[in-house]
Amino acid sequence: MKREEVFNFSAGPSVLPQEALERAAEEILNYNGSGMSVMEMSHRSAFFQEIFDSTKAKLKAALNVPDTHEILFLQGGASAQFSMVPLNLMEGGTADYAVTGNFSNIACKEAKKYGTVHIAASSQDDNFSYIPAQDQLDLAPEAKYFYYCSNNTIYGTAWPYVPETKAPLVCDMSSEILSKPVDVSRYGLILAGAQKNMAPAGVTVVIIDKSLAGREVPYTPLMMSYKTMIEKDSMYNTPPCWCIYMLGLTLDWLEKQGGVTGMEAIKHEKAAVIYDIIDNSRLYKPCARPDSRSDMNVTFRTGDADLDAAFAKEAQARGLMNLKGHRSVGGLRASLYNAQPMEGVKALAAFMKEFEVKHHV
Ligand SMILES: Cc1ncc(COP(=O)(O)O)c(C=O)c1O
């Protein structure tokens, strides 16, 4: 299939802005007159240092990151942060965890190795279909931090509010970062794997309140110390150069779309197109409760696993790719990240209507 015949609804790695990919293609053999690809140059070279500094500055501007916070470009995926957070911030004490999906559940299990985990909330009782309300949060007074995942990629739920807690907020924003403005000053730490709204897989963005660094337990691996990474400006070792470069190109595109405010304006509109079909359908059933729905990952099912499979297969034949739900839950999922154009959403909507007419009995 040709690229222009495809709309990619993958949950991650996901569609990237066409413009960013084209620019990367143009520069792939010779970056800015260096005679070298970004993939080939030293991370200590002036060429790369400029890419690094400008990408960091663009991200700082895009999210309005205050000077109290440091931006880090790390490796090991968002999953490495599940260990790095408790190693650095738990101090062997207690931390609050809100378990609202697969990844917060893994983070919570990992944290138990390093201290006492207090489950502040869980939506496991209803198959992670909702986000607990503020007054349902059970906060431990001694908690070193409160951990949550603001957008649950697999279940298609998103926190409709920022929790009010005394302890610093630690938030996994992997699947919604850069889709809306965020008051970074309210967070102790934000973590996000790049492969949804930012760049290819390989770089993890961490935005940390600098006052929280330096509390790591003594056995913290060198590469997992926020303090070390802050001191070395993410370059204690070779950083994921290509991914940082690609993030810079995505941020250039984002700025032209009106930045995170521009993205927020369109994201709800895009998701509403699909949710409207689901809500007015006799075939499709939503997986997430209406008050907890994600604009990034729309999850639904027909109620018949074979029909779900037929949907994904027929959609793919039409160039609507990667609509199968996560293997752990089945069903269907349309990921509508920043780079998914409204045109793609409308093509999916048209297909959903057609499929319903054809298959509904
Ligand atoms: C919300 C969220 N957190 C964490 C992860 C794990 O990320 P990684 O594969 O980069 O470790 C994912 C992966 O999809 C995710 O969606």
Side-chain angles (χ1 to χ4, degrees):
M1 260 181 186
K2 295 190 182 123
R3 186 173 174 87
E4 50 279 19
E5 291 168 350
V6 161
F7 290 110
N8 178 6
F9 297 90
S10 169
S14 317
V15 58
L16 288 168
Q18 175 86 6
E19 186 184 299
L21 294 173
E22 281 171 1
R23 176 117 169 256
E26 272 166 34
E27 296 178 339
I28 198 159
L29 294 176
N30 185 355
Y31 174 75
N32 200 16
S34 65
M36 292 173 281
S37 171
V38 174
M39 285 186 270
E40 300 172 308
M41 55 181 58
S42 164
H43 58 293
R44 309 278 177 205
S45 66
F47 279 110
F48 185 73
Q49 191 65 54
E50 195 278 324
I51 292 170
F52 183 94
D53 292 341
S54 66
T55 302
K56 202 169 147 181
K58 285 182 241 177
L59 187 56
K60 187 172 163 74
L63 286 174
N64 200 14
V65 178
D67 291 338
T68 45
H69 287 58
E70 183 67 41
I71 295 173
L72 300 175
F73 297 129
L74 305 179
Q75 300 188 60
S79 301
Q81 295 306 309
F82 300 163
S83 324
M84 209 161 157
V85 164
L87 277 164
N88 284 266
L89 306 183
M90 215 173 183
E91 300 177 78
T94 299
D96 279 330
Y97 274 74
V99 180
T100 57
N102 173 65
F103 296 107
S104 47
N105 198 23
I106 298 172
C108 170
K109 282 190 189 144
E110 183 65 10
K112 285 180 184 164
K113 294 179 187 166
Y114 305 109
T116 306
V117 165
H118 175 253
I119 307 288
S122 170
S123 53
Q124 195 155 17
D125 59 341
D126 197 12
N127 198 28
F128 297 124
S129 62
Y130 71 101
I131 300 298
Q134 172 74 44
D135 61 10
Q136 292 174 305
L137 303 181
D138 173 25
L139 304 172
E142 71 281 20
K144 300 285 185 196
Y145 59 87
F146 175 94
Y147 183 102
Y148 75 113
C149 176
S150 58
N151 187 86
N152 298 287
T153 324
I154 294 176
Y155 294 91
T157 60
W159 286 63
Y161 67 98
V162 177
E164 293 280 351
T165 61
K166 232 169 71 220
L169 290 177
V170 173
C171 182
D172 177 355
M173 290 190 192
S174 295
S175 47
E176 70 164 13
I177 196 162
L178 297 179
S179 70
K180 60 177 184 184
V182 168
D183 180 358
V184 175
S185 69
R186 288 189 65 180
Y187 293 86
L189 187 145
I190 292 168
L191 67 102
Q195 63 270 26
K196 289 114 176 24
N197 269 339
M198 296 195 283
V203 61
T204 307
V205 167
V206 168
I207 305 174
I208 180 174
D209 178 341
K210 285 181 268 192
S211 70
L212 293 178
R215 303 174 185 196
E216 66 262 41
V217 287
Y219 53 85
T220 301
L222 184 58
M223 284 295 298
M224 298 199 113
S225 156
Y226 292 127
K227 185 166 174 277
T228 304
M229 287 303 178
I230 291 171
E231 282 169 5
K232 300 290 181 189
D233 201 10
S234 304
M235 288 219 226
Y236 176 79
N237 70 328
T238 316
C241 304
W242 176 257
C243 299
I244 293 168
Y245 161 74
M246 285 301 303
L247 172 57
L249 299 188
T250 299
L251 288 164
D252 288 342
W253 169 84
L254 183 77
E255 199 191 341
K256 289 187 207 152
Q257 315 306 309
V260 290
T261 317
M263 284 299 122
E264 185 180 37
I266 181 103
K267 83 178 174 101
H268 194 62
E269 221 181 292
K270 287 194 293 187
V273 171
I274 306 301
Y275 283 125
D276 274 359
I277 291 189
I278 296 168
D279 289 341
N280 292 301
S281 162
R282 290 170 62 201
L283 178 65
Y284 307 116
K285 294 154 196 70
C287 300
R289 285 192 197 170
D291 63 356
S292 305
R293 286 174 171 175
S294 162
D295 286 342
M296 296 283 106
N297 312 99
V298 179
T299 49
F300 57 103
R301 55 180 74 240
T302 62
D304 172 345
D306 291 340
L307 204 51
D308 288 345
F311 179 101
K313 195 169 165 216
E314 286 182 35
Q316 184 168 324
R318 295 268 289 266
L320 305 169
M321 316 306 260
N322 298 310
L323 286 158
K324 195 165 166 272
H326 189 268
R327 61 190 182 283
S328 64
V329 293
L332 297 155
R333 171 175 56 175
S335 294
L336 310 178
Y337 296 126
N338 285 354
Q340 182 64 248
M342 183 55 109
E343 208 190 334
V345 178
K346 287 193 174 151
L348 172 60
F351 172 75
M352 286 175 76
K353 284 188 195 155
E354 213 182 282
F355 188 87
E356 171 155 11
V357 170
K358 196 164 132 197
H359 291 277
H360 185 60
V361 279

